Amino acid sequence: MNDPQDEVLNFWFRELTPQDWFKGGEALDALVRGRFADLHRQAGAGMLDDWAATPLGRLGLILLLDQFSRHIHRDTAAAFETDVRAQQLAVEGMAMGMDEKLAFGQRQFFYMPLMHAEDPQLQAMSIERFTALRDFAQDVLQFAQGHKGEIDRFGRFPHRNEALARTSSEGERAFIDG
């Protein structure tokens, strides 16, 4: 049997293409759900926290809690339930220099929970980290800047309001419709 950590990393970085990462869709959601829903549940319950001891293991855990969560639970509040843990793993890992031991393509997903945070300080860290990667991932820096702009403007991501049963302000509704 394959190591679950390796399965997560191989799936994300070898089976999928960069186009798959950012386009998604129901077929990819179903694939991630079918292959990784149980691992995601275990990660969310803290049963895989030992993965965080190594840079690649921590990256695998971050992927499960951040990216895979969005595929498994798309358009529901559950898609965001493990965000805080993924953000903690990223910030703690950066403090230990774990991110610097990863390839540039891996680092962008190590930092992705920061981009997904509804927190101005984590958004600022996101911009700092993606700016450092700009030669490799200029498009991702632009996404990070857009995410930060939403937090600066609204204090949250308006597109999550429906899934999280939050009432949208007039400005948020205009932004969503625009």
Side-chain angles (χ1 to χ4, degrees), residues 67-128:
Q67 294 295 309
F68 287 28
S69 186
R70 283 158 169 72
H71 289 287
I72 293 167
H73 301 292
R74 186 173 304 282
D75 297 326
T76 70
F80 315 111
E81 285 178 352
T82 55
D83 280 9
V84 170
R85 181 67 182 127
Q87 292 156 8
Q88 290 170 337
L89 286 163
V91 170
E92 291 167 1
M94 290 171 1
M96 293 185 278
M98 287 185 160
D99 56 319
E100 295 172 14
K101 293 176 174 48
L102 298 172
F104 283 103
Q106 295 167 329
R107 283 187 193 184
Q108 69 180 325
F109 289 101
F110 200 93
Y111 305 146
M112 199 68 68
L114 306 174
M115 186 191 304
H116 291 154
E118 291 186 328
D119 176 295
Q121 290 179 319
L122 294 180
Q123 284 293 322
M125 290 175 88
S126 168
I127 296 300
E128 175 186 307

Side-chain angles (χ1 to χ4, degrees), residues 5-146:
Q5 216 179 96
D6 290 341
E7 287 183 37
V8 167
L9 295 169
N10 287 332
F11 172 75
W12 197 256
F13 293 107
R14 292 195 174 137
E15 290 182 40
L16 298 184
T17 67
Q19 291 76 28
D20 295 324
W21 295 337
F22 300 110
K23 293 201 179 177
E26 181 50 42
L28 181 57
D29 291 351
L31 181 61
V32 172
R33 195 177 307 115
R35 286 180 58 182
F36 299 103
D38 189 53
L39 271 179
H40 175 267
R41 182 193 56 74
Q42 290 175 43
M47 297 168 61
L48 305 178
D49 284 356
D50 61 320
W51 289 20
T54 67
L56 283 172
R58 186 173 291 257
L59 175 61
L61 194 53
I62 288 170
L63 285 168
L64 281 169
L65 296 170
D66 183 69
Q67 294 295 309
F68 287 28
S69 186
R70 283 158 169 72
H71 289 287
I72 293 167
H73 301 292
R74 186 173 304 282
D75 297 326
T76 70
F80 315 111
E81 285 178 352
T82 55
D83 280 9
V84 170
R85 181 67 182 127
Q87 292 156 8
Q88 290 170 337
L89 286 163
V91 170
E92 291 167 1
M94 290 171 1
M96 293 185 278
M98 287 185 160
D99 56 319
E100 295 172 14
K101 293 176 174 48
L102 298 172
F104 283 103
Q106 295 167 329
R107 283 187 193 184
Q108 69 180 325
F109 289 101
F110 200 93
Y111 305 146
M112 199 68 68
L114 306 174
M115 186 191 304
H116 291 154
E118 291 186 328
D119 176 295
Q121 290 179 319
L122 294 180
Q123 284 293 322
M125 290 175 88
S126 168
I127 296 300
E128 175 186 307
R129 295 299 168 140
F130 283 111
T131 297
L133 294 180
R134 72 178 167 262
D135 291 339
F136 175 78
Q138 183 65 39
D139 290 347
V140 180
L141 173 59
Q142 291 170 352
F143 281 118
Q145 290 167 333

Side-chain angles (χ1 to χ4, degrees), residues 145-175:
Q145 290 167 333
H147 282 70
K148 183 181 183 303
E150 284 184 49
I151 296 303
D152 289 348
R153 183 172 172 190
F154 301 110
R156 60 188 186 174
F157 293 115
H159 287 92
R160 293 184 187 176
N161 289 350
E162 185 176 341
L164 295 172
R166 301 188 299 209
T167 303
S168 294
S169 69
E170 282 187 36
E172 288 174 328
R173 282 193 296 277
F175 179 77

